[in-house]
Amino acid sequence: MLTTLLTVFLLNSTYAQDENGETNKKLYKKIEFYDLRGTNAADMAIGTALITGDFPQPELGIYFRLGYKRHVTEHFGISLTFNRYNLAFDETFHEGFMSFDLNLEYLINPYHNISPFIYGGYGYNADTSFETTAAKAQGGLGIEFIVLEKFGVKLFGEYNYVFSDESNPIIQAESNIGFIRMGLGLNFYFGGNKRKQKLLDSIETIINSNLIK
């Protein structure tokens, strides 16, 4: 009987230690995110834009953006960006546009220095004089490299689909247009110290509870 009780006690103790060990691994993994990145990011990028569809001789136009991203979890973030870009074709049309985009982003490997990401959302598009405005949808993908702590470099490309009408000077006979934007960007991460400390406190609590046992 005593042997049985000792066996059950040892098994329970081993199971508890294994369970706590797995919990600690998960917590340390989450801490890696805050060592590399943070809950917030300032975003800036420069690149090129290209109109798609049945437009003759499309040309590459300059593109840049500024934005802010907030990580709700390690994997998911919400971003708001201001985008300025030019579209051109047929050596006769050169027009400047801007958009305000709201995206949901998914970071595939948030605990590593290198991570692919995908995103998508909706935006508000306008020419520089705000005479022509329209709603749009966009989706994209890219890859981020953390070259220094809290500092990331990224490459990305996205497709934009503008819902418009015949009053748009670009549309001509079409009712909608699409364009591609590609860029090289920087992410400056900040924040997350409180979340990181909470994780560290959880690990310390588990360790202390094991010492008491």
PDB file of all heavy atoms in Angstrom, residues 167-191:
ATOM      1  N   SER A 167     -16.692  58.648 -63.179  1.00  0.00           N
ATOM      2  CA  SER A 167     -16.175  59.997 -62.959  1.00  0.00           C
ATOM      3  C   SER A 167     -14.666  60.003 -62.724  1.00  0.00           C
ATOM      4  O   SER A 167     -14.019  61.035 -62.793  1.00  0.00           O
ATOM      5  CB  SER A 167     -16.874  60.648 -61.755  1.00  0.00           C
ATOM      6  OG  SER A 167     -16.557  59.938 -60.560  1.00  0.00           O
ATOM      7  N   ASN A 168     -14.101  58.834 -62.454  1.00  0.00           N
ATOM      8  CA  ASN A 168     -12.662  58.726 -62.244  1.00  0.00           C
ATOM      9  C   ASN A 168     -11.939  58.937 -63.572  1.00  0.00           C
ATOM     10  O   ASN A 168     -12.236  58.249 -64.554  1.00  0.00           O
ATOM     11  CB  ASN A 168     -12.321  57.339 -61.665  1.00  0.00           C
ATOM     12  CG  ASN A 168     -10.903  57.269 -61.136  1.00  0.00           C
ATOM     13  OD1 ASN A 168      -9.989  57.815 -61.725  1.00  0.00           O
ATOM     14  ND2 ASN A 168     -10.732  56.594 -60.016  1.00  0.00           N
ATOM     15  N   PRO A 169     -10.971  59.842 -63.659  1.00  0.00           N
ATOM     16  CA  PRO A 169     -10.289  60.100 -64.931  1.00  0.00           C
ATOM     17  C   PRO A 169      -9.492  58.917 -65.451  1.00  0.00           C
ATOM     18  O   PRO A 169      -9.175  58.860 -66.635  1.00  0.00           O
ATOM     19  CB  PRO A 169      -9.367  61.276 -64.596  1.00  0.00           C
ATOM     20  CG  PRO A 169      -9.157  61.198 -63.123  1.00  0.00           C
ATOM     21  CD  PRO A 169     -10.454  60.698 -62.569  1.00  0.00           C
ATOM     22  N   ILE A 170      -9.148  57.976 -64.593  1.00  0.00           N
ATOM     23  CA  ILE A 170      -8.393  56.810 -65.040  1.00  0.00           C
ATOM     24  C   ILE A 170      -9.313  55.765 -65.663  1.00  0.00           C
ATOM     25  O   ILE A 170      -8.923  55.041 -66.568  1.00  0.00           O
ATOM     26  CB  ILE A 170      -7.622  56.162 -63.865  1.00  0.00           C
ATOM     27  CG1 ILE A 170      -6.576  57.102 -63.343  1.00  0.00           C
ATOM     28  CG2 ILE A 170      -6.977  54.863 -64.285  1.00  0.00           C
ATOM     29  CD1 ILE A 170      -5.755  56.504 -62.246  1.00  0.00           C
ATOM     30  N   ILE A 171     -10.540  55.691 -65.169  1.00  0.00           N
ATOM     31  CA  ILE A 171     -11.379  54.546 -65.460  1.00  0.00           C
ATOM     32  C   ILE A 171     -11.671  54.382 -66.945  1.00  0.00           C
ATOM     33  O   ILE A 171     -11.604  53.297 -67.490  1.00  0.00           O
ATOM     34  CB  ILE A 171     -12.709  54.650 -64.681  1.00  0.00           C
ATOM     35  CG1 ILE A 171     -12.398  54.678 -63.183  1.00  0.00           C
ATOM     36  CG2 ILE A 171     -13.598  53.473 -64.993  1.00  0.00           C
ATOM     37  CD1 ILE A 171     -11.620  53.506 -62.685  1.00  0.00           C
ATOM     38  N   GLN A 172     -11.963  55.480 -67.601  1.00  0.00           N
ATOM     39  CA  GLN A 172     -12.358  55.435 -69.013  1.00  0.00           C
ATOM     40  C   GLN A 172     -13.548  54.488 -69.170  1.00  0.00           C
ATOM     41  O   GLN A 172     -14.601  54.721 -68.591  1.00  0.00           O
ATOM     42  CB  GLN A 172     -11.179  55.035 -69.906  1.00  0.00           C
ATOM     43  CG  GLN A 172     -10.039  56.056 -69.860  1.00  0.00           C
ATOM     44  CD  GLN A 172      -8.871  55.653 -70.710  1.00  0.00           C
ATOM     45  OE1 GLN A 172      -8.720  54.506 -71.080  1.00  0.00           O
ATOM     46  NE2 GLN A 172      -8.033  56.613 -71.033  1.00  0.00           N
ATOM     47  N   ALA A 173     -13.378  53.391 -69.901  1.00  0.00           N
ATOM     48  CA  ALA A 173     -14.507  52.504 -70.146  1.00  0.00           C
ATOM     49  C   ALA A 173     -14.692  51.466 -69.048  1.00  0.00           C
ATOM     50  O   ALA A 173     -15.676  50.746 -69.044  1.00  0.00           O
ATOM     51  CB  ALA A 173     -14.315  51.797 -71.491  1.00  0.00           C
ATOM     52  N   GLU A 174     -13.760  51.384 -68.121  1.00  0.00           N
ATOM     53  CA  GLU A 174     -13.857  50.381 -67.074  1.00  0.00           C
ATOM     54  C   GLU A 174     -14.554  50.955 -65.852  1.00  0.00           C
ATOM     55  O   GLU A 174     -14.638  52.161 -65.661  1.00  0.00           O
ATOM     56  CB  GLU A 174     -12.468  49.873 -66.685  1.00  0.00           C
ATOM     57  CG  GLU A 174     -11.735  49.199 -67.850  1.00  0.00           C
ATOM     58  CD  GLU A 174     -10.433  48.556 -67.403  1.00  0.00           C
ATOM     59  OE1 GLU A 174     -10.226  48.440 -66.181  1.00  0.00           O
ATOM     60  OE2 GLU A 174      -9.643  48.178 -68.266  1.00  0.00           O
ATOM     61  N   SER A 175     -15.077  50.085 -65.006  1.00  0.00           N
ATOM     62  CA  SER A 175     -15.768  50.541 -63.797  1.00  0.00           C
ATOM     63  C   SER A 175     -14.890  50.436 -62.565  1.00  0.00           C
ATOM     64  O   SER A 175     -15.188  51.044 -61.543  1.00  0.00           O
ATOM     65  CB  SER A 175     -17.045  49.712 -63.585  1.00  0.00           C
ATOM     66  OG  SER A 175     -16.725  48.335 -63.460  1.00  0.00           O
ATOM     67  N   ASN A 176     -13.828  49.650 -62.624  1.00  0.00           N
ATOM     68  CA  ASN A 176     -12.923  49.474 -61.487  1.00  0.00           C
ATOM     69  C   ASN A 176     -11.493  49.398 -62.009  1.00  0.00           C
ATOM     70  O   ASN A 176     -11.258  49.073 -63.168  1.00  0.00           O
ATOM     71  CB  ASN A 176     -13.240  48.194 -60.717  1.00  0.00           C
ATOM     72  CG  ASN A 176     -14.657  48.176 -60.200  1.00  0.00           C
ATOM     73  OD1 ASN A 176     -15.007  48.908 -59.290  1.00  0.00           O
ATOM     74  ND2 ASN A 176     -15.500  47.354 -60.815  1.00  0.00           N
ATOM     75  N   ILE A 177     -10.543  49.706 -61.137  1.00  0.00           N
ATOM     76  CA  ILE A 177      -9.136  49.572 -61.518  1.00  0.00           C
ATOM     77  C   ILE A 177      -8.382  48.834 -60.427  1.00  0.00           C
ATOM     78  O   ILE A 177      -8.826  48.744 -59.280  1.00  0.00           O
ATOM     79  CB  ILE A 177      -8.458  50.943 -61.764  1.00  0.00           C
ATOM     80  CG1 ILE A 177      -8.418  51.757 -60.468  1.00  0.00           C
ATOM     81  CG2 ILE A 177      -9.153  51.701 -62.873  1.00  0.00           C
ATOM     82  CD1 ILE A 177      -7.525  52.979 -60.571  1.00  0.00           C
ATOM     83  N   GLY A 178      -7.247  48.319 -60.816  1.00  0.00           N
ATOM     84  CA  GLY A 178      -6.369  47.682 -59.858  1.00  0.00           C
ATOM     85  C   GLY A 178      -4.951  48.178 -60.065  1.00  0.00           C
ATOM     86  O   GLY A 178      -4.588  48.618 -61.153  1.00  0.00           O
ATOM     87  N   PHE A 179      -4.160  48.125 -59.010  1.00  0.00           N
ATOM     88  CA  PHE A 179      -2.757  48.489 -59.138  1.00  0.00           C
ATOM     89  C   PHE A 179      -1.940  47.744 -58.099  1.00  0.00           C
ATOM     90  O   PHE A 179      -2.461  47.297 -57.075  1.00  0.00           O
ATOM     91  CB  PHE A 179      -2.548  50.011 -59.020  1.00  0.00           C
ATOM     92  CG  PHE A 179      -3.046  50.618 -57.741  1.00  0.00           C
ATOM     93  CD1 PHE A 179      -2.213  50.731 -56.634  1.00  0.00           C
ATOM     94  CD2 PHE A 179      -4.347  51.088 -57.632  1.00  0.00           C
ATOM     95  CE1 PHE A 179      -2.658  51.300 -55.453  1.00  0.00           C
ATOM     96  CE2 PHE A 179      -4.801  51.660 -56.464  1.00  0.00           C
ATOM     97  CZ  PHE A 179      -3.966  51.772 -55.368  1.00  0.00           C
ATOM     98  N   ILE A 180      -0.679  47.616 -58.398  1.00  0.00           N
ATOM     99  CA  ILE A 180       0.259  46.911 -57.520  1.00  0.00           C
ATOM    100  C   ILE A 180       1.204  47.924 -56.898  1.00  0.00           C
ATOM    101  O   ILE A 180       1.668  48.856 -57.568  1.00  0.00           O
ATOM    102  CB  ILE A 180       1.058  45.871 -58.324  1.00  0.00           C
ATOM    103  CG1 ILE A 180       0.130  44.799 -58.876  1.00  0.00           C
ATOM    104  CG2 ILE A 180       2.142  45.228 -57.457  1.00  0.00           C
ATOM    105  CD1 ILE A 180       0.808  43.868 -59.880  1.00  0.00           C
ATOM    106  N   ARG A 181       1.481  47.752 -55.611  1.00  0.00           N
ATOM    107  CA  ARG A 181       2.505  48.555 -54.937  1.00  0.00           C
ATOM    108  C   ARG A 181       3.527  47.602 -54.320  1.00  0.00           C
ATOM    109  O   ARG A 181       3.157  46.620 -53.679  1.00  0.00           O
ATOM    110  CB  ARG A 181       1.884  49.451 -53.862  1.00  0.00           C
ATOM    111  CG  ARG A 181       0.941  50.484 -54.432  1.00  0.00           C
ATOM    112  CD  ARG A 181       0.531  51.545 -53.438  1.00  0.00           C
ATOM    113  NE  ARG A 181      -0.164  51.045 -52.272  1.00  0.00           N
ATOM    114  CZ  ARG A 181      -1.152  51.698 -51.658  1.00  0.00           C
ATOM    115  NH1 ARG A 181      -1.562  52.880 -52.108  1.00  0.00           N
ATOM    116  NH2 ARG A 181      -1.730  51.193 -50.587  1.00  0.00           N
ATOM    117  N   MET A 182       4.800  47.920 -54.507  1.00  0.00           N
ATOM    118  CA  MET A 182       5.892  47.121 -53.944  1.00  0.00           C
ATOM    119  C   MET A 182       6.856  48.061 -53.231  1.00  0.00           C
ATOM    120  O   MET A 182       7.054  49.199 -53.680  1.00  0.00           O
ATOM    121  CB  MET A 182       6.631  46.369 -55.054  1.00  0.00           C
ATOM    122  CG  MET A 182       5.769  45.393 -55.825  1.00  0.00           C
ATOM    123  SD  MET A 182       6.575  44.789 -57.338  1.00  0.00           S
ATOM    124  CE  MET A 182       6.447  46.254 -58.360  1.00  0.00           C
ATOM    125  N   GLY A 183       7.423  47.602 -52.115  1.00  0.00           N
ATOM    126  CA  GLY A 183       8.280  48.513 -51.394  1.00  0.00           C
ATOM    127  C   GLY A 183       9.303  47.854 -50.485  1.00  0.00           C
ATOM    128  O   GLY A 183       9.241  46.656 -50.195  1.00  0.00           O
ATOM    129  N   LEU A 184      10.236  48.668 -50.072  1.00  0.00           N
ATOM    130  CA  LEU A 184      11.228  48.330 -49.055  1.00  0.00           C
ATOM    131  C   LEU A 184      10.933  49.218 -47.859  1.00  0.00           C
ATOM    132  O   LEU A 184      10.853  50.447 -47.994  1.00  0.00           O
ATOM    133  CB  LEU A 184      12.643  48.595 -49.574  1.00  0.00           C
ATOM    134  CG  LEU A 184      13.788  48.474 -48.563  1.00  0.00           C
ATOM    135  CD1 LEU A 184      13.935  47.033 -48.089  1.00  0.00           C
ATOM    136  CD2 LEU A 184      15.095  48.965 -49.177  1.00  0.00           C
ATOM    137  N   GLY A 185      10.727  48.610 -46.692  1.00  0.00           N
ATOM    138  CA  GLY A 185      10.285  49.387 -45.541  1.00  0.00           C
ATOM    139  C   GLY A 185      11.066  49.120 -44.275  1.00  0.00           C
ATOM    140  O   GLY A 185      11.873  48.187 -44.192  1.00  0.00           O
ATOM    141  N   LEU A 186      10.811  49.950 -43.272  1.00  0.00           N
ATOM    142  CA  LEU A 186      11.422  49.847 -41.944  1.00  0.00           C
ATOM    143  C   LEU A 186      10.328  49.815 -40.897  1.00  0.00           C
ATOM    144  O   LEU A 186       9.331  50.539 -40.999  1.00  0.00           O
ATOM    145  CB  LEU A 186      12.346  51.033 -41.680  1.00  0.00           C
ATOM    146  CG  LEU A 186      13.481  51.284 -42.671  1.00  0.00           C
ATOM    147  CD1 LEU A 186      14.205  52.587 -42.315  1.00  0.00           C
ATOM    148  CD2 LEU A 186      14.461  50.119 -42.685  1.00  0.00           C
ATOM    149  N   ASN A 187      10.512  48.986 -39.880  1.00  0.00           N
ATOM    150  CA  ASN A 187       9.643  48.963 -38.707  1.00  0.00           C
ATOM    151  C   ASN A 187      10.464  49.340 -37.480  1.00  0.00           C
ATOM    152  O   ASN A 187      11.481  48.699 -37.183  1.00  0.00           O
ATOM    153  CB  ASN A 187       9.037  47.572 -38.494  1.00  0.00           C
ATOM    154  CG  ASN A 187       7.846  47.317 -39.396  1.00  0.00           C
ATOM    155  OD1 ASN A 187       7.173  48.248 -39.840  1.00  0.00           O
ATOM    156  ND2 ASN A 187       7.565  46.053 -39.674  1.00  0.00           N
ATOM    157  N   PHE A 188      10.028  50.374 -36.767  1.00  0.00           N
ATOM    158  CA  PHE A 188      10.663  50.772 -35.512  1.00  0.00           C
ATOM    159  C   PHE A 188       9.730  50.372 -34.374  1.00  0.00           C
ATOM    160  O   PHE A 188       8.700  51.012 -34.150  1.00  0.00           O
ATOM    161  CB  PHE A 188      10.921  52.273 -35.490  1.00  0.00           C
ATOM    162  CG  PHE A 188      11.803  52.765 -36.608  1.00  0.00           C
ATOM    163  CD1 PHE A 188      11.255  53.233 -37.785  1.00  0.00           C
ATOM    164  CD2 PHE A 188      13.186  52.736 -36.488  1.00  0.00           C
ATOM    165  CE1 PHE A 188      12.047  53.686 -38.823  1.00  0.00           C
ATOM    166  CE2 PHE A 188      13.988  53.174 -37.520  1.00  0.00           C
ATOM    167  CZ  PHE A 188      13.423  53.649 -38.691  1.00  0.00           C
ATOM    168  N   TYR A 189      10.077  49.317 -33.658  1.00  0.00           N
ATOM    169  CA  TYR A 189       9.214  48.783 -32.607  1.00  0.00           C
ATOM    170  C   TYR A 189       9.454  49.491 -31.273  1.00  0.00           C
ATOM    171  O   TYR A 189      10.574  49.892 -30.953  1.00  0.00           O
ATOM    172  CB  TYR A 189       9.457  47.288 -32.417  1.00  0.00           C
ATOM    173  CG  TYR A 189       8.904  46.431 -33.535  1.00  0.00           C
ATOM    174  CD1 TYR A 189       9.726  46.007 -34.579  1.00  0.00           C
ATOM    175  CD2 TYR A 189       7.573  46.051 -33.546  1.00  0.00           C
ATOM    176  CE1 TYR A 189       9.218  45.223 -35.606  1.00  0.00           C
ATOM    177  CE2 TYR A 189       7.061  45.268 -34.566  1.00  0.00           C
ATOM    178  CZ  TYR A 189       7.887  44.857 -35.589  1.00  0.00           C
ATOM    179  OH  TYR A 189       7.385  44.089 -36.609  1.00  0.00           O
ATOM    180  N   PHE A 190       8.380  49.605 -30.492  1.00  0.00           N
ATOM    181  CA  PHE A 190       8.486  50.156 -29.146  1.00  0.00           C
ATOM    182  C   PHE A 190       7.318  49.636 -28.315  1.00  0.00           C
ATOM    183  O   PHE A 190       6.320  49.154 -28.850  1.00  0.00           O
ATOM    184  CB  PHE A 190       8.491  51.694 -29.178  1.00  0.00           C
ATOM    185  CG  PHE A 190       7.270  52.303 -29.819  1.00  0.00           C
ATOM    186  CD1 PHE A 190       6.211  52.750 -29.029  1.00  0.00           C
ATOM    187  CD2 PHE A 190       7.185  52.454 -31.196  1.00  0.00           C
ATOM    188  CE1 PHE A 190       5.083  53.321 -29.607  1.00  0.00           C
ATOM    189  CE2 PHE A 190       6.063  53.031 -31.785  1.00  0.00           C
ATOM    190  CZ  PHE A 190       5.012  53.467 -30.997  1.00  0.00           C
ATOM    191  N   GLY A 191       7.452  49.757 -27.004  1.00  0.00           N
ATOM    192  CA  GLY A 191       6.407  49.279 -26.100  1.00  0.00           C
ATOM    193  C   GLY A 191       6.508  47.790 -25.833  1.00  0.00           C
ATOM    194  O   GLY A 191       7.335  47.067 -26.395  1.00  0.00           O
TER     195      GLY A 191
END
